[in-house]
Amino acid sequence: MAGLEGVGQPRQRVSATAARWVPAADDEQALKAVELYGNPTDAEVRLPSRPESAATARRLTQCVVLRQWALPAQTGEYAVLLVSELVGNAVRHTGARVFGLRMLRRRGWIRIEVRDPSRGLPCLMPVGEMDTSGRGLFLVDKLADRWGVDLLPRGKTTWFEMRVADR
């Protein structure tokens, strides 16, 4: 990202072990989330801008990536972690009442988008080894193959894309 050329940051892939699931219980919750809020592959799902909505977004992502798209567990783990980071940013930094979640799949790629009404751009900051916060976009930058922000007439969409093997 702009302005970070030459900034030393670890280049290895980060493990997403914190995003592991207990399959049966979480699978049921994920299906309930899709039933209650809708499928983010059909249309944008609007969620209240509250911290607890991150769990709903994670469940929706889990259901789509693992069940509907039948992608590998590691892809699901990374997608769930990155959705959590984007949703956290939307909830903490935009002052919005709601945000939108959309998931798209095309040949060889998945794309996950979080839309909010703020036009304030997220900023990728250098991360120190002992930092306890501010790692969200750093994780997105390390785990996603591509990410960015699209400004809209009223707000923005922050997105990431990951390469996937086609069935």
Side-chain angles (χ1 to χ4, degrees):
M1 289 267 88
L4 292 178
E5 296 81 6
V7 173
Q9 298 198 7
R11 298 313 283 171
Q12 72 273 9
R13 295 294 252 194
V14 180
S15 174
T17 55
R20 298 211 188 275
W21 305 282
V22 178
D26 283 344
D27 213 29
E28 184 65 30
Q29 289 182 326
L31 290 171
K32 284 182 183 176
V34 170
E35 193 175 295
L36 183 61
Y37 292 98
N39 187 330
T41 65
D42 295 336
E44 180 180 275
V45 171
R46 294 173 57 82
L47 297 168
S49 188
R50 298 189 309 245
E52 54 270 20
S53 290
T56 302
R58 286 191 298 269
R59 287 185 188 110
L60 290 168
T61 302
Q62 173 191 355
C63 190
V64 168
V65 173
L66 296 179
R67 288 184 132 252
Q68 185 175 336
W69 291 341
L71 294 173
Q74 185 176 43
T75 302
E77 289 180 17
Y78 287 175
V80 166
L81 176 63
L82 300 185
V83 159
S84 191
E85 296 300 338
L86 294 187
V87 167
N89 285 348
V91 169
R92 273 191 298 279
H93 301 298
T94 67
R97 287 190 175 126
V98 296
F99 65 89
L101 177 66
R102 179 98 165 111
M103 298 180 197
L104 306 159
R105 183 166 184 187
R106 66 181 193 278
R107 186 173 180 87
W109 292 90
I110 63 170
R111 178 180 174 113
I112 300 180
E113 304 173 344
V114 174
R115 187 181 58 78
D116 64 69
S118 169
R119 288 182 52 89
L121 296 175
C123 185
L124 178 62
M125 302 295 289
V127 175
E129 190 175 309
M130 300 304 287
D131 290 349
T132 57
S133 65
R135 294 178 180 268
L137 285 181
F138 174 77
L139 289 172
V140 173
D141 189 56
K142 294 300 170 199
L143 296 176
D145 290 294
R146 298 190 289 223
W147 72 275
V149 180
D150 297 331
L151 285 176
L152 306 168
R154 294 192 175 151
K156 69 178 173 298
T157 299
T158 307
W159 54 268
F160 67 87
E161 294 181 337
M162 299 170 70
R163 286 188 184 120
V164 296
D166 286 322
R167 296 180 252 199

